[in-house]
Structures are given as structure tokens and as C-alpha cells.
Amino acid sequence: MSVQASDALMQVFGFERVTKMVYELKHGERFTVEGCDTVWTFRSMDGAYCFAKSSTGQILNWSGPVTIVK
């Protein structure tokens, strides 16, 4: 089953996946990465890495899984 199909099935039952790959994010979505408490705001992808910014102005270039912050 594809990721899109499993996400659609989960939504039917009222669930949402909270772990995504960074390239699946949309501009403005907030997330954390494993091992770090900083909340990042996704801006865009730059090749294989994202460009994200924290509330304190730190920049993150990341290409792995993220946990969505609602």
C-alpha cells in the first residue's frame, strides 16, 4: 500500500500520521527532529535538504524524518 493510500485510510478513521519525511511538508508547517526540542518552521526544499527556521532565528537544513507539531 502506498503512503498516500495509507494516509487516506487513516483519515477515514480520524487518525493523522504525525511523522513525515521533510519533503512532504508544506510551507509554514512546524516540526521537530528526533533528539532536539527545537520547533522548526518549514520554508522550502533546496535540493535534497529543507530550509527551516526556528523562532530564535536558527537555520536548519535537514533531509530526514520529522514529527509534526500542531
Side-chain angles (χ1 to χ4, degrees), residues 4-70:
Q4 293 85 1
S6 64
D7 283 353
L9 184 59
M10 287 172 55
Q11 287 177 349
V12 167
F13 293 102
F15 297 103
E16 183 176 348
R17 183 168 53 119
V18 294
T19 301
K20 295 183 176 182
M21 292 303 291
V22 72
Y23 58 80
E24 297 177 286
L25 300 180
K26 293 183 175 114
H27 180 80
E29 282 191 276
R30 296 170 5 132
F31 66 93
T32 60
V33 296
E34 187 175 340
C36 180
D37 293 333
T38 304
V39 176
W40 305 95
T41 302
F42 179 81
R43 302 290 185 208
S44 63
M45 291 300 295
D46 184 16
Y49 296 92
C50 80
F51 176 81
K53 198 171 184 181
S54 73
S55 62
T56 60
Q58 294 174 303
I59 302 298
L60 175 71
N61 295 116
W62 182 257
S63 66
V66 299
T67 302
I68 303 303
V69 174
K70 295 188 181 208

